[in-house]
Amino acid sequence: MTKAPALLPEGLRDRLPRQAEAASRVTRALVDAMRAHGYGRVSPPLAEFRETLGSDDDRSGRDLLRFTDPVSQRTLALRPDITRQVGRIATSLLAASPRPLRLCYAGQVVKLRASQLRPAREMLQVGAELIGSDSVAAAREIVTVAIDALEAAGIGPVTIDFTLPDVVDLLAFGPLPVTADLQQLRDELDAKDAGALARIGAGAYLPLLRATGPFDRAITDLRAFDTSGVLGGRIDALEAIAAPIRDRVTLTLDPTERHGFAYQSWFGFQIFVPGQGDAVGRGGAYAIPVGEAEEAAVGFSLYPDPLIDAGLGAEDMAERRIFLPLGHDAAVAASLRADGWRTVAALTDADDATRLGCAYVLGADGPVEA
Amino acid sequence: MTKAPALLPEGLRDRLPRQAEAASRVTRALVDAMRAHGYGRVSPPLAEFRETLGSDDDRSGRDLLRFTDPVSQRTLALRPDITRQVGRIATSLLAASPRPLRLCYAGQVVKLRASQLRPAREMLQVGAELIGSDSVAAAREIVTVAIDALEAAGIGPVTIDFTLPDVVDLLAFGPLPVTADLQQLRDELDAKDAGALARIGAGAYLPLLRATGPFDRAITDLRAFDTSGVLGGRIDALEAIAAPIRDRVTLTLDPTERHGFAYQSWFGFQIFVPGQGDAVGRGGAYAIPVGEAEEAAVGFSLYPDPLIDAGLGAEDMAERRIFLPLGHDAAVAASLRADGWRTVAALTDADDATRLGCAYVLGADGPVEA
């Protein structure tokens, strides 16, 4: 072996035991909660053909860490996202499986560049996808599964922020036509720039900026704004999705939020945890392309690394860690492990319980404090 | 999103729920068993600088899937092995941690090329390393931890094949000097080619080829061969390592086995499972370079994928999977999940329990068979 420099590439890092075990604990809790709702875990590969991971037309494709595969002589990329891989599995290997098809996943993803908010280029992504429906019932289920998973992993209190990705299309092609470019209208609404809205002749959209904030008040404002009733179905849907979770989380509405919802069709949501600037997860309704057609789906993704860095899932490493002196009884040691103890066996007389991080030592009559 | 072709690059694949969940179950059992022995889990990154992952002088370096990192403008590679990363962590971030330092890991590794025996280029590697000692006590512990982990994951019955990587050096620089090149002598012994041994004037080594097979008989043959006593310490060590495990596994000895032991110092072992041609794991004593010096270590790695493909860890997917009809009681559903049921909720009247893989349906009085 050659000498290993201590430095790693920018954005890549080692997780030491306290954090690595916390990450493992959090992942297990999230995956178990999703599986309890009938979501079968799938594991796509770390890399695949570049074309199947994203398109150069959008951010997904520009974000790829690519390389030439000497075996296939083709360009592969590390996966920047697992949702798309799950869509590929659902519409290929599992194309014939009954719908709705419920799948979940947990794994590392790698991005070409870090962002200022998130300096990591490799991160844990955990999520669930329900394929074959984007109905209100499907959206309600996926939001509930996300909240159950977060709760099981000890993540909270959370705020869920709903959005309506197609609200501008419904209005502009309906009661509120605009002369401005639709993408520009969407951008100004996303930026909450009232002055710009007036300048591009979209003053009629101004009340939308106020229909933002705590869910009940924002929904009331949205209904008042929707004099034509074109948003009635969407508003009813949001209320139906909110009903089973309103006592469990803080709910907000931001109908024109666009960030991170490039693919969502009619419903999106972001998950926030106090003290974390960026969302810890997002989800919604979307469509998976299948040849010339598409298949409806709902899903969510969580990125728990910043929470784990902040202490989520961490345990006292010395607790339940017991030192086994030289000449200890192997059967007693095995029964301690079966009872949940972590044993640390002495290899020499020089080994010391406290130095080796053990709060306990195995004495003649069982565990004693070190 | 663009259309996703169903094909993946050669050697990469998707794991569907039955196998992905089995892999997760097996990984948890292995990691939990290693943690119970005081091995703290670490998680190194999927990729790092090419120089820290292997050297071009040996197979480790030639096996690397490399790419240029646009951020650092340096060559990175996907990790083909986690042991070396753990050595890097132990001698850098954890250089000041008390020894012996016990670490474990589980993760995906990626190789440039598949082998005929193992067509996968991405595979699961799980293992443990004890850093700071390569004593007989350390070797005995690491072999015991390996067997406990295998047993916890339901892997077995296993055969453990011991080897002595430095046996030729001990003999050739001691009682049995040879004129032949030492590497050639090692190769002919590894190939068990009696004719070649005679041809290169190493006929004195012939009895070593017979000291192979069931442990007790092979040890007896090895002692008989070792008239000078130069191997006495090694033989005593092997017997000490074997003592606590001889009733738990089938033990064999192949003192001149070299395959996969390029890095091992004085002791190596391979783990075989009936029906699997290739070893499912290997380990032994080795040295981690630290500047001009080195640090002693023992460890092992397991590659459980072929066993998972053969059904290890798989469960009946329909069992404990219960269909929740429309209008079911959410609190009852939650209590079923808390009891270990996997619930599958109807989204429409058309959803069908059996089609959705449920062996049970929630009736008015609780679960009934579907």
Side-chain angles (χ1 to χ4, degrees):
Chain A
M1 299 192 186
T2 53
K3 190 195 170 196
L7 285 172
L8 288 172
E10 192 184 323
L12 300 175
R13 61 165 169 170
D14 297 310
R15 276 197 188 283
L16 299 184
R18 186 181 165 81
Q19 287 198 345
E21 296 188 359
S24 160
R25 225 170 270 128
V26 168
T27 304
R28 289 185 188 194
L30 293 171
V31 168
D32 285 348
M34 299 185 296
R35 289 185 62 230
H37 279 278
Y39 289 70
R41 182 169 183 174
V42 290
S43 294
L46 291 175
E48 55 182 90
F49 291 128
R50 179 249 162 290
E51 308 85 66
T52 61
L53 285 174
S55 123
D56 276 328
D57 302 341
D58 57 48
R59 201 176 141 213
S60 68
R62 294 193 297 272
D63 228 20
L64 293 174
L65 201 47
R66 305 156 200 218
F67 55 94
T68 302
D69 176 20
V71 173
S72 63
Q73 294 291 332
R74 287 180 60 184
T75 303
L76 309 192
L78 293 177
R79 63 182 183 199
D81 166 58
I82 303 177
T83 303
R84 187 187 284 254
Q85 294 187 303
V86 174
R88 176 182 53 70
I89 292 174
T91 54
S92 58
L93 282 177
L94 298 180
S97 291
R99 265 49 176 171
L101 175 65
R102 292 170 168 93
L103 301 174
C104 68
Y105 59 86
Q108 300 298 115
V109 296
V110 180
K111 293 184 191 297
L112 177 60
R113 279 171 221 285
S115 73
Q116 249 182 329
L117 264 171
R118 298 224 160 171
R121 292 204 283 163
E122 176 181 343
M123 67 195 76
L124 174 62
Q125 181 184 8
V126 184
E129 314 294 332
L130 185 155
I131 295 118
S133 173
D134 65 354
S135 68
V136 176
R140 186 161 56 178
E141 171 169 317
I142 210 73
V143 170
T144 302
V145 173
I147 294 170
D148 279 1
L150 293 161
E151 198 170 285
I155 300 172
V158 299
T159 294
I160 310 274
D161 189 34
F162 286 170
T163 187
L164 289 172
D166 67 350
V167 70
V168 166
D169 301 81
L170 286 174
L171 293 167
F173 294 112
L176 296 180
V178 287
T179 51
D181 176 66
L182 271 197
Q183 191 53 50
Q184 192 183 1
L185 174 56
R186 288 191 199 101
D187 290 346
E188 303 302 1
L189 282 166
D190 193 24
K192 312 221 182 312
D193 189 336
L197 282 179
R199 270 198 305 282
I200 64 171
Y205 284 78
L206 275 169
L208 259 188
L209 297 187
R210 286 193 292 273
T212 293
F215 186 74
D216 289 332
R217 191 183 58 65
I219 280 282
T220 303
D221 287 350
L222 195 59
R223 273 208 199 276
F225 165 72
D226 182 37
T227 48
S228 75
V230 71
L231 300 181
R234 292 283 184 270
I235 295 169
D236 293 347
L238 291 180
E239 291 193 313
I241 297 168
I245 58 165
R246 49 192 314 141
D247 296 333
R248 301 180 63 192
V249 298
T250 301
L251 277 181
T252 57
L253 175 65
D254 187 348
T256 61
E257 166 75 31
R258 299 269 312 156
H259 179 72
F261 293 104
Y263 296 116
Q264 267 65 27
S265 52
W266 70 268
F267 167 66
F269 63 100
Q270 291 192 90
I271 301 161
F272 292 97
V273 172
Q276 295 291 332
D278 209 359
V280 299
R282 55 170 56 88
Y286 61 101
I288 307 167
V290 189
E292 298 303 304
E294 42 185 39
E295 181 162 23
V298 294
F300 68 88
S301 294
L302 305 173
Y303 301 90
D305 282 344
L307 302 174
I308 294 163
D309 292 346
L312 176 70
E315 280 184 1
D316 180 349
M317 302 291 286
E319 188 58 30
R320 303 284 288 170
R321 190 170 160 100
I322 188 167
F323 182 77
L324 307 174
L326 282 181
H328 67 268
D329 183 327
V332 172
S335 76
L336 284 171
R337 286 190 291 271
D339 285 347
W341 287 87
R342 297 171 66 169
T343 64
V344 176
L347 297 180
T348 72
D349 274 330
D351 289 357
D352 176 83
T354 309
R355 283 195 77 238
L356 292 175
C358 298
Y360 294 85
V361 173
L362 178 59
D365 299 318
V368 292
E369 283 188 37
Chain B
M1 299 190 186
T2 53
K3 190 196 168 193
L7 284 173
L8 288 172
E10 192 184 320
L12 300 175
R13 61 165 169 171
D14 297 310
R15 276 198 188 282
L16 299 184
R18 187 182 163 80
Q19 287 198 345
E21 296 188 358
S24 160
R25 225 169 270 129
V26 168
T27 304
R28 289 184 189 194
L30 293 171
V31 169
D32 285 348
M34 299 185 296
R35 289 185 61 229
H37 279 277
Y39 288 70
R41 183 168 180 174
V42 290
S43 294
L46 292 175
E48 56 181 90
F49 292 127
R50 178 249 164 290
E51 308 85 68
T52 61
L53 286 175
S55 125
D56 277 328
D57 302 341
D58 57 47
R59 201 177 140 211
S60 68
R62 294 193 298 272
D63 229 19
L64 293 174
L65 200 48
R66 304 156 200 219
F67 55 96
T68 302
D69 175 21
V71 173
S72 63
Q73 296 290 332
R74 287 180 59 185
T75 303
L76 309 191
L78 293 176
R79 63 183 182 198
D81 167 58
I82 303 177
T83 302
R84 186 187 284 253
Q85 294 186 301
V86 173
R88 176 182 53 70
I89 292 174
T91 55
S92 58
L93 282 176
L94 298 180
S97 291
R99 265 49 177 172
L101 175 64
R102 292 169 169 93
L103 301 174
C104 68
Y105 58 86
Q108 301 297 115
V109 296
V110 181
K111 293 185 191 296
L112 177 60
R113 281 171 219 285
S115 71
Q116 249 182 328
L117 264 171
R118 298 226 160 170
R121 291 205 282 163
E122 176 182 342
M123 67 194 77
L124 173 63
Q125 182 183 8
V126 184
E129 313 293 333
L130 185 155
I131 295 120
S133 174
D134 66 352
S135 68
V136 176
R140 186 161 55 179
E141 171 169 316
I142 210 73
V143 171
T144 303
V145 173
I147 293 171
D148 278 2
L150 293 161
E151 197 170 284
I155 300 172
V158 300
T159 294
I160 309 274
D161 189 34
F162 287 170
T163 187
L164 289 172
D166 68 349
V167 69
V168 166
D169 301 81
L170 286 174
L171 294 167
F173 293 111
L176 296 181
V178 286
T179 52
D181 176 65
L182 271 198
Q183 191 53 49
Q184 191 183 1
L185 174 56
R186 289 191 198 99
D187 291 345
E188 303 301 1
L189 282 166
D190 193 24
K192 312 221 182 310
D193 189 336
L197 282 178
R199 269 198 305 281
I200 64 173
Y205 284 78
L206 274 170
L208 260 187
L209 298 187
R210 285 192 293 273
T212 294
F215 186 74
D216 288 333
R217 193 183 55 68
I219 280 283
T220 304
D221 287 350
L222 194 58
R223 273 207 199 277
F225 165 73
D226 182 38
T227 48
S228 75
V230 71
L231 300 182
R234 293 284 184 270
I235 295 170
D236 293 346
L238 292 180
E239 291 193 314
I241 297 167
I245 57 166
R246 50 191 315 138
D247 295 334
R248 301 180 64 194
V249 299
T250 302
L251 278 180
T252 58
L253 174 65
D254 187 348
T256 61
E257 168 74 31
R258 300 269 313 155
H259 180 71
F261 293 104
Y263 296 116
Q264 268 64 27
S265 52
W266 69 268
F267 168 65
F269 63 101
Q270 291 192 91
I271 300 160
F272 292 96
V273 171
Q276 295 291 334
D278 210 0
V280 300
R282 55 171 56 87
Y286 62 100
I288 307 168
V290 189
E292 298 303 302
E294 44 186 38
E295 181 161 22
V298 294
F300 69 88
S301 295
L302 305 173
Y303 301 89
D305 282 345
L307 301 174
I308 293 162
D309 292 346
L312 177 70
E315 279 184 3
D316 180 348
M317 302 291 285
E319 188 58 29
R320 303 283 290 171
R321 189 168 160 101
I322 188 169
F323 182 77
L324 307 174
L326 282 182
H328 68 269
D329 183 326
V332 171
S335 77
L336 285 171
R337 285 190 292 271
D339 285 346
W341 287 88
R342 298 170 65 168
T343 63
V344 176
L347 297 180
T348 71
D349 275 330
D351 288 359
D352 177 83
T354 310
R355 282 194 77 236
L356 292 175
C358 298
Y360 294 86
V361 173
L362 177 59
D365 300 319
V368 293
E369 282 188 39

